Amino acid sequence: MKQLLKKSIYITVFGMITMSYQACTKLDESPYSEAKNDEFYTSRREILQAALRPMTHMQSWLAPTGGSGYYYHSELSSDQLAWPQKGRHGYDAGDHFRQHYHTWTDNESRTRDAWIGMWTGLGYVNNALERIQAASPEKVGMEPDELNAIIAELKVLRAFHYMKIMELWGNVPIAEEVAEEITNPETKPRAEVFAYIKAQLEENVPNLLPLSDALIGRVNKAAGYAMLAELYLNAEKWIGQPMWDECIAACDQVLNGEGGGLGGGPNLAADLTSTFSNTNQRATEALFQFAYSQKGGFAFDWGGFFMGYDYMKDVLNVGYGGWNAFVVIPTAFDAYAENDLRKKEWFLFGPQYKYGTQTPVLGTEEWSGKPIVFVNSIRRESEGDLTSAGGMAQGEENSGARFNKYKSGTLQDANYRENHYMIYRLTEIYFNKAEAIMRKNGGVATQEAVNLINESRKRAFSAEDWPAAQYTTASLTLDELLAERGREFIFEGKRRTDLIRFGKYTTAAWWDHRPSSDPNRELYPIPNTQIAINPNLKQNPGY
């Protein structure tokens, strides 16, 4: 079956177009559905605009920009981030509680938004592919090789969409074309979807252009190899077939520079901040990124999810505030050693002062008129509770350590809010290869695996502390590797995938979350509204 998903995608494209454009871009929509094929794409510029349109939409569901997409589900159902109720704020009909406690139903509005947003993105890819594949290189003024590389970009981007859709929902339809009429496509088994993704990536990644300055913000060969590495790494969990050698080979193609790189890379950054800074456009670790720009009118706006109330503008000397939404789960913050430099660089914690001064910033809710001090607890401390474990309903405006991994710079900074968002970075390839080596070796670390993880980890410790902090083949167990992945990739939208692959998502406890021990919770339910629209969709087990 290779048509667009019946009414669920049909409704998605037309029902969500206003939302997706508000979230992604301010460009005016063209009525393409009313145009003839021969009116499309008369220049190289129009081809590139069409090819990049799916990337702008993908930002709305993949990056932490405030939408209820993949990022929201990946992080809030896992063991590092939560959106607790903080007094009168943040209950939101219990949406975030159900994510945290794994008690969601098949009627979650945010899961429906994720489904619609991600399938809409797939529709944009299919639409662009259909038009671009029909374009004449001579007519648009492009060399055939360049046009074919753009077609490969879109096919790889479609496979990436499918990998994320399959990850959340498992068994889903396969859609390659923009249907001219409404159909009722059937759910395909996860193994068939996996095979489709694998074939599309393996066929098209070699045809991509290597990462270079000209490919920033576009699908490139390094990004394609990173996607393959992720697919292979999760193959045993997703389809019951380990692909450790394939994962190692894909990682090596990135590490050997076969996919290209930026700034003479790919190379690990020597520090903890440059990859996420407001000058990270050509970061040597970057493999695949969203090319945001405040100067270009499309800034990376992480404020909604991650910024506290408006008084945080005074702390950071910035022009944006937030919803005081996501906080770090206490057990996740405790996972960092006190001498781990990431604990200082990537979080806001403790007393908060007006930028450049020792003047405390004052609260406006539970701590109204009193200094704001971010604490590693989520409980009613303003009411005297200083000892309980707390819970999702007991938060206050200062509960939990906060996000500070990406730093926008101040209002006076020439590069204020020029940060790009990293989808894949080189450190992940180091971790993926090390894990594949260990799993191939029965879960036991080899010296090569240890060296790969230590290369990353040493940035997080001073020269004085490093001898005691580095791993050995005895100390780098699989459990420790999962813990280190969490410390390194916190806030990057990776955690749910990791917990599932390590068998911890439904079996482990964290903070006030107790395991469900229900393997069906490793997949989300297909929204019941979509099944009502297309009865050929089959609901996942347990819902």
Side-chain angles (χ1 to χ4, degrees):
M1 199 295 297
K2 302 203 173 175
Q3 286 184 311
L4 206 79
L5 182 60
K6 201 249 176 184
K7 290 184 181 176
S8 57
I9 289 190
Y10 186 84
I11 293 294
T12 289
V13 172
F14 293 96
M16 292 294 289
I17 199 75
T18 300
M19 184 283 294
S20 64
Y21 267 80
Q22 289 174 344
C24 301
T25 179
K26 296 181 180 179
L27 297 178
D28 293 332
E29 170 69 352
S30 299
Y32 291 150
S33 59
E34 300 175 5
K36 297 178 181 179
N37 282 358
D38 59 6
E39 295 173 353
F40 275 78
Y41 308 154
T42 60
S43 67
R44 180 177 183 274
R45 177 187 176 93
E46 291 179 353
I47 292 286
L48 289 173
Q49 287 175 331
L52 288 171
R53 178 62 187 93
M55 284 293 297
T56 63
H57 176 77
M58 193 166 78
Q59 294 162 348
S60 69
W61 59 262
L62 185 63
T65 50
S68 298
Y70 175 89
Y71 188 94
Y72 174 94
H73 289 78
S74 179
E75 292 291 11
L76 287 199
S77 67
S78 300
D79 65 348
Q80 293 189 310
L81 302 182
W83 188 339
Q85 181 178 354
K86 303 178 188 72
R88 60 191 177 123
H89 299 290
Y91 178 67
D92 297 340
D95 292 355
H96 323 309
F97 286 42
R98 292 190 295 277
Q99 287 296 316
H100 179 75
Y101 295 122
H102 292 191
T103 56
W104 52 76
T105 71
D106 66 351
N107 190 34
E108 300 290 336
S109 62
R110 293 174 191 268
T111 304
R112 184 165 60 250
D113 288 348
W115 173 277
I116 289 172
M118 294 167 76
W119 281 106
T120 297
L122 188 68
Y124 282 131
V125 177
N126 283 337
N127 184 65
L129 263 172
E130 178 181 317
R131 306 299 185 182
I132 292 173
Q133 285 176 317
S136 164
E138 295 82 9
K139 184 176 180 180
V140 299
M142 297 179 69
E143 292 296 325
D145 286 350
E146 183 183 13
L147 188 61
N148 289 336
I150 289 175
I151 291 170
E153 276 188 57
L154 286 165
K155 289 183 176 180
V156 169
L157 188 60
R158 178 169 61 193
F160 179 78
H161 276 70
Y162 258 112
M163 183 163 65
K164 296 306 177 186
I165 289 170
M166 178 192 67
E167 181 189 329
L168 292 187
W169 289 287
N171 311 308
V172 294
I174 296 175
E176 277 197 330
E177 299 174 359
V178 179
E180 295 185 1
E181 60 183 29
I182 296 173
T183 59
N184 283 317
E186 298 178 348
T187 301
K188 298 296 182 183
R190 192 181 213 180
E192 185 174 336
V193 182
F194 182 98
Y196 170 79
I197 297 165
K198 178 174 177 290
Q200 289 290 300
L201 290 176
E202 290 177 345
E203 177 183 349
N204 290 290
V205 168
N207 299 324
L208 296 173
L209 297 174
L211 176 59
S212 65
D213 284 2
L215 270 291
I216 293 173
R218 289 172 56 185
V219 178
N220 61 80
K221 191 171 286 188
Y225 287 138
M227 293 175 198
L228 278 167
E230 180 179 356
L231 186 75
Y232 295 143
L233 186 65
N234 289 283
E236 184 177 54
K237 185 63 185 178
W238 287 345
I239 62 168
Q241 179 183 344
M243 295 184 176
W244 312 128
D245 286 330
E246 292 89 338
C247 179
I248 292 168
C251 291
D252 282 341
Q253 286 171 306
V254 176
L255 296 171
N256 295 337
E258 295 178 39
L262 299 175
N267 292 305
L268 290 182
D271 58 74
L272 297 172
T273 58
S274 59
T275 301
F276 310 103
S277 72
N278 62 10
T279 57
N280 69 344
Q281 298 81 13
R282 291 171 177 79
T284 60
E285 276 209 33
L287 303 177
F288 189 30
Q289 62 207 91
F290 285 137
Y292 290 101
S293 172
Q294 169 84 357
K295 296 174 185 176
F298 194 34
F300 174 20
D301 184 11
W302 61 77
F305 278 159
F306 282 122
M307 280 292 289
Y309 296 134
D310 273 0
Y311 47 66
M312 293 306 295
K313 293 178 180 179
D314 294 333
V315 175
L316 300 174
N317 189 16
V318 297
Y320 53 89
W323 308 329
N324 203 7
F326 289 6
V327 307
V328 181
I329 288 173
T331 47
F333 195 61
D334 285 338
Y336 292 85
E338 285 304 313
N339 62 349
D340 190 326
L341 300 177
R342 292 171 295 197
K343 198 167 188 175
K344 175 183 177 182
E345 291 290 351
W346 292 351
F347 302 92
L348 293 170
F349 188 69
Q352 301 300 300
Y353 302 103
K354 292 185 178 180
Y355 185 79
T357 76
Q358 291 297 305
T359 303
V361 168
L362 305 182
T364 58
E365 297 289 327
E366 293 85 2
W367 297 89
S368 179
K370 299 177 182 178
I372 283 292
V373 180
F374 290 136
V375 295
N376 189 33
S377 58
I378 303 174
R379 60 194 177 205
R380 303 295 295 178
E381 296 196 355
S382 67
E383 299 172 0
D385 181 4
L386 304 179
T387 58
S388 80
M392 285 288 286
Q394 279 88 55
E396 299 184 330
E397 62 181 311
N398 67 330
S399 296
R402 305 304 174 90
F403 169 94
N404 199 33
K405 197 167 192 176
Y406 284 87
K407 298 176 176 65
S408 67
T410 67
L411 288 165
Q412 294 75 32
D413 193 321
N415 293 298
Y416 174 65
R417 298 185 75 185
E418 289 296 298
N419 312 68
H420 284 195
Y421 177 70
M422 299 297 154
I423 303 171
Y424 289 112
R425 59 185 177 101
L426 187 62
T427 301
E428 187 172 355
I429 301 302
Y430 275 63
F431 273 77
N432 289 354
K433 183 176 180 180
E435 184 180 334
I437 290 170
M438 290 177 66
R439 292 191 183 276
K440 185 180 175 182
N441 195 41
V444 177
T446 66
Q447 191 59 50
E448 182 181 11
V450 168
N451 292 344
L452 286 164
I453 302 304
N454 278 341
E455 277 298 302
S456 163
R457 182 173 166 82
K458 69 181 180 183
R459 299 174 295 192
F461 294 88
S462 68
E464 180 182 8
D465 291 337
W466 177 237
Q470 62 185 308
Y471 288 121
T472 66
T473 53
S475 62
L476 186 60
T477 62
L478 281 177
D479 282 347
E480 182 56 30
L481 180 62
L482 175 63
E484 183 64 7
R485 284 191 77 108
R487 289 185 286 264
E488 179 63 25
F489 297 107
I490 192 167
F491 304 122
E492 294 187 45
K494 312 282 184 181
R495 193 57 175 171
R496 176 181 178 275
T497 314
D498 290 344
L499 288 176
I500 290 174
R501 189 175 64 255
F502 279 80
K504 303 291 188 182
Y505 188 67
T506 61
T507 64
W510 51 84
W511 181 43
D512 72 331
H513 170 95
R514 297 295 173 261
S516 69
S517 300
D518 179 3
N520 292 323
R521 292 283 145 172
E522 291 183 354
L523 292 178
Y524 280 99
I526 295 175
N528 60 16
T529 52
Q530 303 304 314
I531 294 176
I533 291 169
N534 176 7
N536 285 338
L537 292 174
K538 294 182 180 179
Q539 185 56 276
N540 286 322
Y543 296 102

